[in-house]
Amino acid sequence: PWLRDSDVKRWLREETAKLPGGVMQVAADQGQIMALLARAIGARLAVEVGTFTGYSALCVAEALPPTGKLHACDVSEEWTRIGRRYWNEAGVADRIELHIGPALKSLDELIAGGLAGHVDMAFIDANKTDYDAYYERCLALLRPRGLMLIDNVLWNGAVADPDDHSADTLALRALNAKLRDDQRIDLGLLPVGDGMTMALKR
């Protein structure tokens, strides 16, 4: 009952739900929380790793000021093309700069381009085996007191299953342990969606 929705966001969710892999889309309540957090920290510059059909990007871009910028990284022209339609419909397409290609390369280019230490918020929701590498690059990009959000950290409970040794589970389990002990951040976990970590850069 607390969801503040729009036709554009609902249409995007409905179209995405019909696609193969539609479950990769963040939930509506998660998108709303992400937007709230972006506003709470006064985010003007954000980075997203893993855009899919653009729902999370839409939620964050709407929370940015008109002059704000979201650098969205993804490997798929096909999926992000869907997002572009809805970003245009919502009037936020000019706030989103899409980087198509391997995200590690895109993040390295953002760092080399002078954004290190200037990003207000980062969101990671891509291939799990590269999460640690994404985390380190996003941490470098964040300003002090910048916020990082990391999706799927509970992995449908698999991270707590000692019999699950899949590559994705091992990567998430290792990152969760690393974050627990990482003194570069303050840490919290929201039980929303599949678990979303909040890491505030010290």
Side-chain angles (χ1 to χ4, degrees):
W2 57 274
L3 182 65
R4 294 183 177 179
D5 215 355
S6 68
D7 287 341
V8 176
K9 287 202 281 282
R10 189 175 66 256
W11 295 334
L12 176 51
R13 289 200 310 274
E14 290 171 353
E15 179 171 346
T16 303
K18 299 172 185 174
L19 299 172
V23 295
M24 294 192 296
Q25 179 175 237
V26 302
D29 58 345
Q30 183 176 354
Q32 184 166 316
I33 289 171
M34 292 171 62
L36 182 150
L37 291 170
R39 289 192 176 96
I41 65 169
R44 303 180 63 85
L45 180 60
V47 169
E48 175 177 83
V49 182
T51 297
F52 191 36
T53 58
Y55 187 77
S56 54
L58 173 58
C59 293
V60 171
E62 286 184 338
L64 299 177
T67 56
K69 181 69 68 179
L70 169 63
H71 291 276
C73 306
D74 203 278
V75 293
S76 174
E77 284 275 13
E78 178 185 2
W79 297 136
T80 53
R81 191 177 300 119
I82 295 171
R84 285 182 190 272
R85 285 194 279 109
Y86 289 95
W87 301 339
N88 279 309
E89 182 73 18
V92 297
D94 60 336
R95 302 179 196 176
I96 303 172
E97 184 172 336
L98 190 58
H99 302 261
I100 298 295
L104 292 176
K105 181 175 182 289
S106 297
L107 293 171
D108 285 340
E109 289 172 352
L110 292 176
I111 292 170
L115 290 190
H118 295 286
V119 171
D120 301 302
M121 193 170 95
F123 177 54
I124 298 174
D125 184 16
N127 54 309
K128 311 313 170 194
T129 52
D130 281 330
Y131 259 33
D132 185 86
Y134 297 147
Y135 168 71
E136 289 296 337
R137 283 162 174 79
C138 286
L139 195 63
L141 284 164
L142 284 178
R143 61 167 170 82
R145 314 309 290 172
L147 180 65
M148 191 183 322
L149 305 175
I150 307 173
D151 202 20
N152 303 117
V153 294
L154 296 180
W155 207 224
N156 201 29
V159 292
D161 180 357
D163 296 322
D164 192 325
H165 302 290
S166 69
D168 287 342
T169 299
L170 291 175
L172 288 165
R173 193 178 289 146
L175 181 63
N176 287 339
K178 174 178 177 172
L179 295 178
R180 177 195 63 207
D181 300 327
D182 195 338
Q183 296 305 303
R184 297 173 294 174
I185 59 168
D186 292 310
L187 183 66
L189 191 152
L190 286 174
V192 63
D194 194 21
M196 184 169 69
T197 287
M198 301 179 294
L200 191 70
K201 183 176 180 178
R202 290 180 169 174

